[in-house]
RNA sequence: GCCCCGGUAGUGUAGCGGCCUAUCAUCCGAGCCUGUCGAGCUCGGGACUCGGGUCCAAAUCCCGACCGGGGCGCCA
């Protein structure tokens, strides 16, 4: 058998290769044995190529090759032949083949079976699930999304950084932390790079972003929560208001959607997704306006209430119907709802309001952020409001005493973004190996 | 953390006190078939999550455990 370098991908087989000998390799997706002739659909990374075997040509080879269990990995050496019956227009007539790794039977999950499989079954057998083109397409879209985001932020002068995922203290109240043993100390998995990216604002690197896992030990068992997710965190300094922060969030979404359309058109088609790319600026409704809109749509909600999941979803419907927008900001969240977010800057003229915003995509929050409080004294007093132990945040606070510019930023949930973009019913579809309250394997 | 719902062949399901020796599809095996591509035809194979209980009788009702699904709260 030839070396791997000589293996031809299914999509490289064309008229130029007609009559020549090629070696193809992949997974036996299906064998159709008609008695005297048999068709094997061999799947590789690029697609399917048909291997056609004639019994009378080589009875022994016919017997052996048609007996291969589906999903086994084989290499086949044979002659390319044009064929109007084959789907690709070409097929390979084998001279020899080798089973590199036979698949057991039954399969834990059918790759092309005409019956569905529960997400749980699929995730338990993710490697097999990923043999489906449509499942792999999700992760290609995800990769292209990140590529678009990196390209945009890099062009905008943001430096990609990495901050520790093993930390001594948590950033945000509310979200729970995973405790871990760290040599002879106790530590946590980082729920957010918040404190570090703010710290970096005092470093002279005034625009940073990070794409990294974030860990939340929330007992949230929903289709949009996982314990380990990919967070895009952005922070920028010398801003005048939260508007400057929103502009970046908006720019990321717009640029990445355009990038996906350009680079992942086939994947979108395969997934049956028609992806609109709304032009900025995206509508910005204040929290107060949002409450009024919900109120006039017969939802019982009062000013000061959290929008809640119901309110978020309903607002998504309203925004689509009335403003034809699936992406929109909810701005100026009241301080009462952001009190735990001790680092949020409040309006100096009206301390009951913050500049904090959410960016919602089809009724779901995917981004949350705003301008931070950069004045040491104010920050300390807001931390005291939250009964925080200032000593344990000294590394964070210190930076605010030695030249901290005004700044702001946000956290952007990558999987939620991909989920909404592709209309995936569960966020776990957008994670190769999801971690949630119950799932630790695989 | 709270509230609902569910666990039947490898996979996905029907059945929800006796007609169950459990349905259908897919899948697997044997056979026929030289152009299949949701191949077709014949024959065969394979399952009631576990532990208690109720009852003459339990896949079916009750309790518990384990596993899963959905929603809320919270959040990205």
């Amino acid at each position: 058998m030839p070396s791997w370098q000589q293996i031809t991908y299914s999509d490289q087989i064309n008229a130029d290769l007609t009559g020549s000998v090629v070696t193809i390799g992949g997974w036996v997706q299906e064998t159709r044995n008609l008695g005297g002739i048999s068709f094997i659909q061999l799947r590789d990374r690029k697609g399917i190529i048909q291997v056609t075997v004639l019994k009378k040509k080589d009875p022994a080879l016919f017997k052996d090759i048609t007996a291969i269990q589906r999903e086994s990995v084989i290499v086949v050496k044979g002659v390319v032949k044009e064929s109007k019956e084959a789907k690709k227009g070409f097929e390979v007539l084998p001279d020899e083949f080798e089973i590199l790794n036979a698949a057991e039977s039954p399969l834990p999950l059918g790759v092309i079976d005409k019956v569905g499989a529960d997400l749980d079954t699929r995730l338990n057998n993710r490697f097999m699930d990923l043999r489906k083109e449509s499942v792999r397409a999700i992760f290609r879209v995800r990769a292209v999304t990140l590529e678009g985001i990196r390209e945009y932020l890099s062009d905008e002068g943001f430096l990609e950084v990495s901050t520790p995922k093993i930390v001594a203290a948590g950033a945000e109240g509310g979200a729970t932390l995973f405790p871990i043993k760290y040599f002879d100390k106790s530590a946590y998995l980082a729920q957010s790079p918040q404190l570090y990216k703010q710290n970096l604002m005092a470093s002279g690197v005034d625009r940073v972003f990070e794409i990294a896992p974030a860990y939340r030990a929330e007992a949230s068992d929903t289709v949009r929560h996982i314990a380990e997710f990919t967070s895009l965190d952005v922070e920028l300094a010398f801003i005048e208001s939260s508007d400057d922060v929103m502009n970046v969030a908006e720019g990321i979404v717009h640029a990445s959607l355009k990038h996906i359309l350009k680079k992942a058109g086939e994947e979108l088609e395969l997934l049956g997704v028609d992806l609109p790319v709304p032009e900025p600026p995206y509508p910005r409704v204040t929290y107060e306006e949002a409450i009024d809109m919900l109120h006039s749509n017969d939802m019982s909600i009062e000013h000061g209430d959290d929008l809640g999941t119901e309110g978020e979803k309903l607002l998504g419907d309203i925004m689509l119907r009335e403003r034809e927008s699936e992406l929109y900001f909810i701005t100026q969240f009241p301080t009462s709802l952001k009190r735990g977010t001790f680092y949020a800057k409040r309006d100096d003229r009206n301390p009951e309001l913050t500049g904090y915003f959410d960016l919602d995509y089809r009724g779901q929050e995917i981004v949350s952020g705003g301008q931070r409080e950069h004045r040491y004294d104010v920050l300390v007093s807001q931390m005291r409001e939250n009964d925080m132990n200032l000593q344990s945040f000294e590394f964070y606070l210190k930076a605010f005493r030695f030249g901290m510019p005004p700044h702001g930023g946000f956290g952007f949930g990558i999987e939620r973004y991909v989920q909404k973009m592709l209309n995936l019913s569960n966020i776990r579809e957008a994670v190769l190996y999801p971690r949630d309250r119950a799932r630790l394997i695989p």
mmCIF file of all heavy atoms in Angstrom, chain B residues 9-21:
data_model
loop_
_atom_site.group_PDB
_atom_site.id
_atom_site.type_symbol
_atom_site.label_atom_id
_atom_site.label_comp_id
_atom_site.label_asym_id
_atom_site.label_seq_id
_atom_site.Cartn_x
_atom_site.Cartn_y
_atom_site.Cartn_z
ATOM 1 P P A B 9 -34.513 -0.616 24.924
ATOM 2 O OP1 A B 9 -33.310 -0.852 25.730
ATOM 3 O OP2 A B 9 -34.874 0.747 24.487
ATOM 4 O "O5'" A B 9 -34.466 -1.504 23.618
ATOM 5 C "C5'" A B 9 -33.305 -1.545 22.818
ATOM 6 C "C4'" A B 9 -32.961 -2.990 22.547
ATOM 7 O "O4'" A B 9 -34.154 -3.680 22.160
ATOM 8 C "C3'" A B 9 -31.947 -3.149 21.406
ATOM 9 O "O3'" A B 9 -30.948 -4.087 21.781
ATOM 10 C "C2'" A B 9 -32.800 -3.689 20.243
ATOM 11 O "O2'" A B 9 -32.084 -4.604 19.458
ATOM 12 C "C1'" A B 9 -33.893 -4.427 20.987
ATOM 13 N N9 A B 9 -35.145 -4.525 20.224
ATOM 14 C C8 A B 9 -35.824 -3.574 19.530
ATOM 15 N N7 A B 9 -36.918 -4.011 18.948
ATOM 16 C C5 A B 9 -36.958 -5.346 19.280
ATOM 17 C C6 A B 9 -37.860 -6.374 18.995
ATOM 18 N N6 A B 9 -38.945 -6.206 18.252
ATOM 19 N N1 A B 9 -37.600 -7.591 19.496
ATOM 20 C C2 A B 9 -36.507 -7.767 20.248
ATOM 21 N N3 A B 9 -35.576 -6.880 20.604
ATOM 22 C C4 A B 9 -35.866 -5.680 20.080
ATOM 23 P P G B 10 -29.825 -3.640 22.835
ATOM 24 O OP1 G B 10 -29.040 -4.851 23.130
ATOM 25 O OP2 G B 10 -30.373 -2.812 23.944
ATOM 26 O "O5'" G B 10 -28.972 -2.699 21.882
ATOM 27 C "C5'" G B 10 -27.727 -2.194 22.360
ATOM 28 C "C4'" G B 10 -27.162 -1.291 21.307
ATOM 29 O "O4'" G B 10 -27.077 -2.029 20.069
ATOM 30 C "C3'" G B 10 -28.040 -0.091 20.981
ATOM 31 O "O3'" G B 10 -27.798 0.983 21.860
ATOM 32 C "C2'" G B 10 -27.612 0.224 19.553
ATOM 33 O "O2'" G B 10 -26.380 0.899 19.531
ATOM 34 C "C1'" G B 10 -27.417 -1.179 18.982
ATOM 35 N N9 G B 10 -28.649 -1.699 18.349
ATOM 36 C C8 G B 10 -29.349 -2.807 18.696
ATOM 37 N N7 G B 10 -30.405 -3.009 17.943
ATOM 38 C C5 G B 10 -30.391 -1.959 17.045
ATOM 39 C C6 G B 10 -31.270 -1.626 15.989
ATOM 40 O O6 G B 10 -32.292 -2.219 15.626
ATOM 41 N N1 G B 10 -30.888 -0.465 15.334
ATOM 42 C C2 G B 10 -29.788 0.277 15.660
ATOM 43 N N2 G B 10 -29.595 1.367 14.922
ATOM 44 N N3 G B 10 -28.956 -0.004 16.643
ATOM 45 C C4 G B 10 -29.308 -1.134 17.284
ATOM 46 P P U B 11 -28.958 1.989 22.273
ATOM 47 O OP1 U B 11 -28.360 3.029 23.123
ATOM 48 O OP2 U B 11 -30.130 1.223 22.738
ATOM 49 O "O5'" U B 11 -29.328 2.634 20.862
ATOM 50 C "C5'" U B 11 -28.464 3.573 20.247
ATOM 51 C "C4'" U B 11 -29.125 4.159 19.033
ATOM 52 O "O4'" U B 11 -29.383 3.097 18.073
ATOM 53 C "C3'" U B 11 -30.504 4.763 19.290
ATOM 54 O "O3'" U B 11 -30.399 6.089 19.778
ATOM 55 C "C2'" U B 11 -31.144 4.689 17.908
ATOM 56 O "O2'" U B 11 -30.649 5.708 17.071
ATOM 57 C "C1'" U B 11 -30.600 3.347 17.404
ATOM 58 N N1 U B 11 -31.526 2.235 17.651
ATOM 59 C C2 U B 11 -32.630 2.123 16.826
ATOM 60 O O2 U B 11 -32.864 2.906 15.926
ATOM 61 N N3 U B 11 -33.445 1.062 17.082
ATOM 62 C C4 U B 11 -33.288 0.112 18.065
ATOM 63 O O4 U B 11 -34.110 -0.797 18.171
ATOM 64 C C5 U B 11 -32.127 0.303 18.893
ATOM 65 C C6 U B 11 -31.309 1.328 18.660
ATOM 66 P P G B 12 -31.437 6.556 20.910
ATOM 67 O OP1 G B 12 -31.011 7.919 21.262
ATOM 68 O OP2 G B 12 -31.570 5.533 21.949
ATOM 69 O "O5'" G B 12 -32.805 6.617 20.098
ATOM 70 C "C5'" G B 12 -33.047 7.690 19.213
ATOM 71 C "C4'" G B 12 -34.284 7.454 18.396
ATOM 72 O "O4'" G B 12 -34.179 6.193 17.687
ATOM 73 C "C3'" G B 12 -35.604 7.305 19.133
ATOM 74 O "O3'" G B 12 -36.088 8.536 19.631
ATOM 75 C "C2'" G B 12 -36.476 6.734 18.007
ATOM 76 O "O2'" G B 12 -36.820 7.733 17.090
ATOM 77 C "C1'" G B 12 -35.484 5.758 17.347
ATOM 78 N N9 G B 12 -35.713 4.399 17.847
ATOM 79 C C8 G B 12 -35.039 3.717 18.826
ATOM 80 N N7 G B 12 -35.530 2.525 19.045
ATOM 81 C C5 G B 12 -36.593 2.421 18.159
ATOM 82 C C6 G B 12 -37.515 1.358 17.932
ATOM 83 O O6 G B 12 -37.585 0.260 18.483
ATOM 84 N N1 G B 12 -38.439 1.685 16.941
ATOM 85 C C2 G B 12 -38.475 2.869 16.263
ATOM 86 N N2 G B 12 -39.440 3.002 15.361
ATOM 87 N N3 G B 12 -37.625 3.858 16.466
ATOM 88 C C4 G B 12 -36.719 3.567 17.415
ATOM 89 P P U B 13 -37.240 8.513 20.745
ATOM 90 O OP1 U B 13 -37.562 9.902 21.085
ATOM 91 O OP2 U B 13 -36.880 7.545 21.805
ATOM 92 O "O5'" U B 13 -38.463 7.921 19.912
ATOM 93 C "C5'" U B 13 -39.531 7.286 20.565
ATOM 94 C "C4'" U B 13 -40.358 6.568 19.538
ATOM 95 O "O4'" U B 13 -39.586 5.473 18.991
ATOM 96 C "C3'" U B 13 -41.622 5.927 20.091
ATOM 97 O "O3'" U B 13 -42.696 6.853 20.085
ATOM 98 C "C2'" U B 13 -41.850 4.775 19.113
ATOM 99 O "O2'" U B 13 -42.448 5.222 17.928
ATOM 100 C "C1'" U B 13 -40.411 4.342 18.794
ATOM 101 N N1 U B 13 -39.902 3.257 19.657
ATOM 102 C C2 U B 13 -40.455 1.994 19.529
ATOM 103 O O2 U B 13 -41.353 1.745 18.753
ATOM 104 N N3 U B 13 -39.915 1.039 20.364
ATOM 105 C C4 U B 13 -38.912 1.216 21.278
ATOM 106 O O4 U B 13 -38.538 0.260 21.948
ATOM 107 C C5 U B 13 -38.386 2.541 21.347
ATOM 108 C C6 U B 13 -38.884 3.487 20.558
ATOM 109 P P A B 14 -43.714 6.811 21.286
ATOM 110 O OP1 A B 14 -44.570 8.001 21.103
ATOM 111 O OP2 A B 14 -43.021 6.592 22.557
ATOM 112 O "O5'" A B 14 -44.582 5.511 20.938
ATOM 113 C "C5'" A B 14 -45.413 5.527 19.791
ATOM 114 C "C4'" A B 14 -46.156 4.223 19.639
ATOM 115 O "O4'" A B 14 -45.221 3.136 19.427
ATOM 116 C "C3'" A B 14 -46.961 3.737 20.844
ATOM 117 O "O3'" A B 14 -48.170 4.439 20.987
ATOM 118 C "C2'" A B 14 -47.194 2.284 20.433
ATOM 119 O "O2'" A B 14 -48.235 2.181 19.476
ATOM 120 C "C1'" A B 14 -45.870 1.922 19.764
ATOM 121 N N9 A B 14 -45.005 1.126 20.638
ATOM 122 C C8 A B 14 -43.872 1.495 21.313
ATOM 123 N N7 A B 14 -43.319 0.526 22.009
ATOM 124 C C5 A B 14 -44.154 -0.549 21.773
ATOM 125 C C6 A B 14 -44.132 -1.886 22.208
ATOM 126 N N6 A B 14 -43.177 -2.366 23.012
ATOM 127 N N1 A B 14 -45.107 -2.709 21.791
ATOM 128 C C2 A B 14 -46.063 -2.216 20.980
ATOM 129 N N3 A B 14 -46.192 -0.994 20.491
ATOM 130 C C4 A B 14 -45.185 -0.200 20.933
ATOM 131 P P G B 15 -48.797 4.705 22.414
ATOM 132 O OP1 G B 15 -50.121 5.331 22.221
ATOM 133 O OP2 G B 15 -47.795 5.374 23.257
ATOM 134 O "O5'" G B 15 -49.014 3.242 22.998
ATOM 135 C "C5'" G B 15 -50.067 2.426 22.488
ATOM 136 C "C4'" G B 15 -49.908 1.022 22.994
ATOM 137 O "O4'" G B 15 -48.553 0.583 22.802
ATOM 138 C "C3'" G B 15 -50.183 0.847 24.481
ATOM 139 O "O3'" G B 15 -51.536 0.490 24.674
ATOM 140 C "C2'" G B 15 -49.260 -0.292 24.904
ATOM 141 O "O2'" G B 15 -49.909 -1.539 24.895
ATOM 142 C "C1'" G B 15 -48.149 -0.274 23.846
ATOM 143 N N9 G B 15 -46.888 0.193 24.406
ATOM 144 C C8 G B 15 -46.453 1.488 24.469
ATOM 145 N N7 G B 15 -45.280 1.599 25.043
ATOM 146 C C5 G B 15 -44.924 0.306 25.379
ATOM 147 C C6 G B 15 -43.770 -0.196 26.032
ATOM 148 O O6 G B 15 -42.802 0.426 26.450
ATOM 149 N N1 G B 15 -43.827 -1.584 26.182
ATOM 150 C C2 G B 15 -44.851 -2.371 25.750
ATOM 151 N N2 G B 15 -44.728 -3.675 25.984
ATOM 152 N N3 G B 15 -45.932 -1.916 25.138
ATOM 153 C C4 G B 15 -45.904 -0.582 24.992
ATOM 154 P P C B 16 -52.413 1.269 25.741
ATOM 155 O OP1 C B 16 -53.693 0.546 25.873
ATOM 156 O OP2 C B 16 -52.405 2.698 25.384
ATOM 157 O "O5'" C B 16 -51.577 1.097 27.074
ATOM 158 C "C5'" C B 16 -52.009 0.240 28.129
ATOM 159 C "C4'" C B 16 -51.445 0.805 29.407
ATOM 160 O "O4'" C B 16 -50.066 1.105 29.158
ATOM 161 C "C3'" C B 16 -52.130 2.088 29.895
ATOM 162 O "O3'" C B 16 -52.696 1.906 31.187
ATOM 163 C "C2'" C B 16 -51.033 3.150 29.905
ATOM 164 O "O2'" C B 16 -50.966 3.790 31.171
ATOM 165 C "C1'" C B 16 -49.734 2.364 29.690
ATOM 166 N N1 C B 16 -48.785 3.012 28.738
ATOM 167 C C2 C B 16 -47.439 3.177 29.133
ATOM 168 O O2 C B 16 -47.093 2.779 30.256
ATOM 169 N N3 C B 16 -46.565 3.755 28.273
ATOM 170 C C4 C B 16 -46.984 4.161 27.068
ATOM 171 N N4 C B 16 -46.091 4.714 26.268
ATOM 172 C C5 C B 16 -48.347 4.004 26.659
ATOM 173 C C6 C B 16 -49.209 3.435 27.511
ATOM 174 P P G B 17 -54.070 1.216 31.341
ATOM 175 O OP1 G B 17 -54.626 0.721 30.082
ATOM 176 O OP2 G B 17 -54.886 1.975 32.324
ATOM 177 O "O5'" G B 17 -53.473 -0.016 32.157
ATOM 178 C "C5'" G B 17 -54.314 -1.110 32.392
ATOM 179 C "C4'" G B 17 -53.443 -2.309 32.559
ATOM 180 O "O4'" G B 17 -53.057 -2.406 33.954
ATOM 181 C "C3'" G B 17 -54.114 -3.606 32.185
ATOM 182 O "O3'" G B 17 -53.216 -4.448 31.514
ATOM 183 C "C2'" G B 17 -54.486 -4.191 33.539
ATOM 184 O "O2'" G B 17 -54.570 -5.569 33.526
ATOM 185 C "C1'" G B 17 -53.304 -3.708 34.391
ATOM 186 N N9 G B 17 -53.601 -3.729 35.813
ATOM 187 C C8 G B 17 -54.513 -2.987 36.493
ATOM 188 N N7 G B 17 -54.539 -3.271 37.761
ATOM 189 C C5 G B 17 -53.604 -4.267 37.921
ATOM 190 C C6 G B 17 -53.202 -4.982 39.083
ATOM 191 O O6 G B 17 -53.597 -4.867 40.232
ATOM 192 N N1 G B 17 -52.213 -5.907 38.804
ATOM 193 C C2 G B 17 -51.676 -6.126 37.544
ATOM 194 N N2 G B 17 -50.733 -7.047 37.470
ATOM 195 N N3 G B 17 -52.037 -5.462 36.455
ATOM 196 C C4 G B 17 -53.006 -4.560 36.724
ATOM 197 P P G B 18 -53.749 -5.022 30.100
ATOM 198 O OP1 G B 18 -52.606 -4.796 29.198
ATOM 199 O OP2 G B 18 -55.077 -4.498 29.780
ATOM 200 O "O5'" G B 18 -53.869 -6.585 30.367
ATOM 201 C "C5'" G B 18 -52.707 -7.337 30.715
ATOM 202 C "C4'" G B 18 -53.042 -8.816 30.741
ATOM 203 O "O4'" G B 18 -53.860 -9.089 31.898
ATOM 204 C "C3'" G B 18 -53.796 -9.314 29.525
ATOM 205 O "O3'" G B 18 -53.206 -10.531 29.097
ATOM 206 C "C2'" G B 18 -55.230 -9.548 30.023
ATOM 207 O "O2'" G B 18 -55.794 -10.718 29.427
ATOM 208 C "C1'" G B 18 -55.001 -9.833 31.491
ATOM 209 N N9 G B 18 -56.053 -9.412 32.414
ATOM 210 C C8 G B 18 -57.000 -8.438 32.284
ATOM 211 N N7 G B 18 -57.753 -8.299 33.342
ATOM 212 C C5 G B 18 -57.264 -9.256 34.219
ATOM 213 C C6 G B 18 -57.670 -9.583 35.530
ATOM 214 O O6 G B 18 -58.557 -9.070 36.214
ATOM 215 N N1 G B 18 -56.922 -10.616 36.070
ATOM 216 C C2 G B 18 -55.903 -11.258 35.422
ATOM 217 N N2 G B 18 -55.275 -12.221 36.080
ATOM 218 N N3 G B 18 -55.489 -10.962 34.190
ATOM 219 C C4 G B 18 -56.234 -9.960 33.665
ATOM 220 P P C B 19 -52.157 -10.569 28.067
ATOM 221 O OP1 C B 19 -51.778 -11.960 27.737
ATOM 222 O OP2 C B 19 -51.134 -9.606 28.547
ATOM 223 O "O5'" C B 19 -52.850 -9.935 26.819
ATOM 224 C "C5'" C B 19 -52.537 -10.526 25.576
ATOM 225 C "C4'" C B 19 -53.746 -10.620 24.689
ATOM 226 O "O4'" C B 19 -54.886 -9.963 25.262
ATOM 227 C "C3'" C B 19 -53.556 -9.857 23.387
ATOM 228 O "O3'" C B 19 -52.794 -10.640 22.489
ATOM 229 C "C2'" C B 19 -54.982 -9.663 22.902
ATOM 230 O "O2'" C B 19 -55.407 -10.761 22.171
ATOM 231 C "C1'" C B 19 -55.762 -9.561 24.218
ATOM 232 N N1 C B 19 -56.315 -8.233 24.524
ATOM 233 C C2 C B 19 -57.152 -7.598 23.587
ATOM 234 O O2 C B 19 -57.373 -8.162 22.500
ATOM 235 N N3 C B 19 -57.674 -6.379 23.875
ATOM 236 C C4 C B 19 -57.419 -5.802 25.053
ATOM 237 N N4 C B 19 -57.959 -4.616 25.295
ATOM 238 C C5 C B 19 -56.583 -6.428 26.018
ATOM 239 C C6 C B 19 -56.059 -7.624 25.708
ATOM 240 P P C B 20 -51.274 -10.195 22.408
ATOM 241 O OP1 C B 20 -51.293 -8.741 22.510
ATOM 242 O OP2 C B 20 -50.760 -10.916 21.225
ATOM 243 O "O5'" C B 20 -50.565 -10.722 23.741
ATOM 244 C "C5'" C B 20 -49.442 -11.580 23.677
ATOM 245 C "C4'" C B 20 -48.277 -10.946 24.418
ATOM 246 O "O4'" C B 20 -48.114 -9.595 23.927
ATOM 247 C "C3'" C B 20 -48.444 -10.854 25.935
ATOM 248 O "O3'" C B 20 -47.363 -11.521 26.560
ATOM 249 C "C2'" C B 20 -48.372 -9.361 26.234
ATOM 250 O "O2'" C B 20 -47.614 -9.070 27.364
ATOM 251 C "C1'" C B 20 -47.664 -8.798 25.012
ATOM 252 N N1 C B 20 -47.950 -7.389 24.693
ATOM 253 C C2 C B 20 -47.049 -6.435 25.190
ATOM 254 O O2 C B 20 -46.096 -6.804 25.887
ATOM 255 N N3 C B 20 -47.278 -5.131 24.901
ATOM 256 C C4 C B 20 -48.317 -4.783 24.151
ATOM 257 N N4 C B 20 -48.482 -3.503 23.897
ATOM 258 C C5 C B 20 -49.225 -5.735 23.640
ATOM 259 C C6 C B 20 -48.999 -7.021 23.931
ATOM 260 P P U B 21 -47.385 -13.038 26.900
ATOM 261 O OP1 U B 21 -48.679 -13.646 26.591
ATOM 262 O OP2 U B 21 -46.818 -13.106 28.262
ATOM 263 O "O5'" U B 21 -46.316 -13.623 25.869
ATOM 264 C "C5'" U B 21 -44.942 -13.390 26.054
ATOM 265 C "C4'" U B 21 -44.196 -13.830 24.819
ATOM 266 O "O4'" U B 21 -44.519 -15.212 24.551
ATOM 267 C "C3'" U B 21 -44.579 -13.036 23.570
ATOM 268 O "O3'" U B 21 -43.408 -12.781 22.814
ATOM 269 C "C2'" U B 21 -45.511 -13.971 22.813
ATOM 270 O "O2'" U B 21 -45.449 -13.806 21.414
ATOM 271 C "C1'" U B 21 -44.959 -15.348 23.206
ATOM 272 N N1 U B 21 -45.973 -16.403 23.127
ATOM 273 C C2 U B 21 -45.855 -17.325 22.100
ATOM 274 O O2 U B 21 -44.942 -17.276 21.299
ATOM 275 N N3 U B 21 -46.834 -18.268 22.052
ATOM 276 C C4 U B 21 -47.894 -18.395 22.920
ATOM 277 O O4 U B 21 -48.702 -19.305 22.757
ATOM 278 C C5 U B 21 -47.961 -17.399 23.953
ATOM 279 C C6 U B 21 -47.019 -16.458 24.025
#
